[in-house]
Amino acid sequence: MTRFRLIATGGTIASRRSAGGLLAETTGAQLLAASELGALEVEVDDFTTKGSYAFTLDDLLALVRRVHDALAQGVDGVVVTHGTDTMEESAFLLDLFHADPRPVVLTGAQRPFDSPAPDGPANLAAAFAVAASPQARALGPLLVFDGLAWQARGVRKVETLAAAAFGAPGRGPCLRVTHDRVLPLGARSRPSAFDLDAVRELPRVDVVAAYAGADGALLQAAVAAGAGGVVVQALGAGNASPAMTAAVARLVDRGVPVAVCSRAFSGPVAPMYGGGGGADLERAGAVFASDLSPWQARLLLSVSIAHKPEDPGAVLRQWLQQEASAGAHVRRMSDGARTSDQGAS
Ligand code: ASP
């Protein structure tokens, strides 16, 4: 019989109302019972009971290790219940280290466990349906929510409270989950995975936003606070103010890697404009991070620093290049296409 592991981490799906606000205190076994999943063999691992807004980089890395442990123990698939606020980050970090065809599926809820109409039970049932489906094999970690599944790269929380909480602007979902079926929509292949055993901790990387009138003070403050790299959440196609661009040049000169993403939801960044804009950011040595969200780019940069501290920019560029050529072909990867941890460099 197919064996699954449910790793419960908290979030709204596990939350109940209390005088102090919603608190994630429902156990994995209680979540399973509420979902009426029928005859499935599910081992439960109560990893933590936190809102995902409280997760640290150490928590995220510990979760990745926990999922790897479950797979090493021979389960056929893993389902992770998780808060929605940072689910796109956990999914992406899992993806960076995932070189296994077995499904790892994250899900959660927008309405709490004790809501009169909770969405968690249906999302959890859909997550198990996806984890059990051959359609989900070799796609990497998936985020399942409100009847759709997305690959980790590019998925974002796009609604604060509505049940259809997630989207992948410019990319779309990879599977549809109906009442009795998991239907393929379109999936992308992924760059090779990083070696988890080579990473002891994730270095701090901060995201600094560009906006009209922004200067370089927060970029300098991030590094002063210990950031080993910075992601600029740039304007439009990847522009910052002349003052920020000058600060980026100073950071890169000091050996601090800087990645550029956009505050726009969809589309790649491109070094197009002079006068302190994106072309100058690129000349300053910043790496343009395609259409990665700042939050996912931050994790990639952190893993790149951990992987090759002497030249994280090279790792980042190589991953982006691999992703661009892999992503150009929308196709299903066959089992075993990504079975070895080779690292992106
Ligand atoms: N709104 C969040 C959730 O859905 C809170 C969190 O991320 O834990 O769970």
Side-chain angles (χ1 to χ4, degrees):
M1 191 178 189
T2 316
R3 248 175 84 213
F4 296 100
R5 177 80 48 91
L6 170 65
I7 301 180
T9 75
T12 300
I13 190 169
S15 293
R16 299 168 200 257
R17 284 163 284 194
S18 79
L22 293 172
L23 283 179
E25 53 193 22
T26 310
T27 64
Q30 290 168 326
L31 294 177
L32 273 181
S35 279
E36 296 171 4
L37 289 169
L40 279 185
E41 193 185 329
V42 184
E43 303 158 4
V44 177
D45 174 4
D46 285 304
F47 175 73
T48 187
T49 46
K50 277 191 193 176
S52 70
Y53 45 81
F55 281 179
T56 63
L57 281 180
D58 287 345
D59 292 330
L60 263 52
L61 194 56
L63 178 60
V64 175
R65 293 198 202 287
R66 200 69 155 241
V67 168
H68 279 228
D69 288 347
L71 293 171
Q73 287 158 20
V75 299
D76 298 293
V78 178
V79 171
V80 180
T81 51
H82 197 293
T84 54
D85 289 355
T86 63
M87 204 188 300
E88 65 208 58
E89 285 158 78
S90 291
F92 184 67
L93 191 65
L94 281 160
D95 191 61
L96 289 178
F97 293 107
H98 192 78
D100 192 302
R102 287 172 290 176
V104 172
V105 180
L106 294 93
T107 196
Q110 287 283 63
R111 296 188 292 275
F113 185 76
D114 61 356
S115 152
D119 52 336
N123 282 342
L124 190 59
F128 275 100
V130 168
S133 169
Q135 301 292 352
R137 285 184 73 80
L139 299 183
L142 300 173
L143 192 158
V144 169
F145 221 90
D146 200 40
L148 293 169
W150 293 264
Q151 289 180 288
R153 158 79 164 100
V155 70
R156 289 173 175 230
K157 187 167 181 182
V158 294
E159 287 284 343
T160 54
L161 295 170
F166 287 90
R171 289 171 173 263
C174 62
L175 301 171
R176 181 180 296 284
V177 193
T178 70
H179 69 290
D180 65 348
R181 242 172 253 187
V182 176
L183 304 168
L185 294 175
R188 291 169 181 252
S189 19
R190 301 141 56 232
S192 19
F194 290 94
D195 180 2
L196 183 59
D197 292 336
V199 175
R200 293 197 22 224
E201 59 178 10
L202 290 175
R204 174 174 176 155
V205 171
D206 286 325
V207 177
V208 177
Y211 41 84
D215 63 17
L218 294 182
L219 285 166
Q220 281 151 13
V223 175
V230 182
V231 174
V232 176
Q233 183 182 19
L235 303 161
N239 302 303
S241 65
M244 278 188 88
T245 301
V248 165
R250 287 194 293 276
L251 294 193
V252 175
D253 280 350
R254 285 170 52 191
V256 178
V258 177
V260 176
C261 299
S262 179
R263 74 179 193 183
F265 257 32
S266 186
V269 284
M272 292 162 64
Y273 294 88
D280 291 327
L281 277 172
E282 192 189 44
R283 274 190 284 273
V287 179
F288 276 63
S290 180
D291 64 343
L292 271 176
S293 72
W295 336 115
Q296 294 195 340
R298 166 184 175 251
L299 293 170
L300 176 60
L301 183 52
S302 178
V303 170
S304 302
I305 296 169
H307 191 66
K308 198 173 188 182
E310 69 285 8
D311 194 3
V315 180
L316 184 56
R317 283 192 176 89
Q318 188 173 352
W319 189 95
L320 289 164
Q321 208 170 28
Q322 273 192 25
E323 212 271 340
S325 45
H329 309 288
V330 179
R331 64 180 173 83
R332 291 186 57 76
M333 285 181 6
S334 58
D335 278 8
R338 201 165 175 268
T339 51
S340 67
D341 273 339
Q342 292 158 350
S345 71

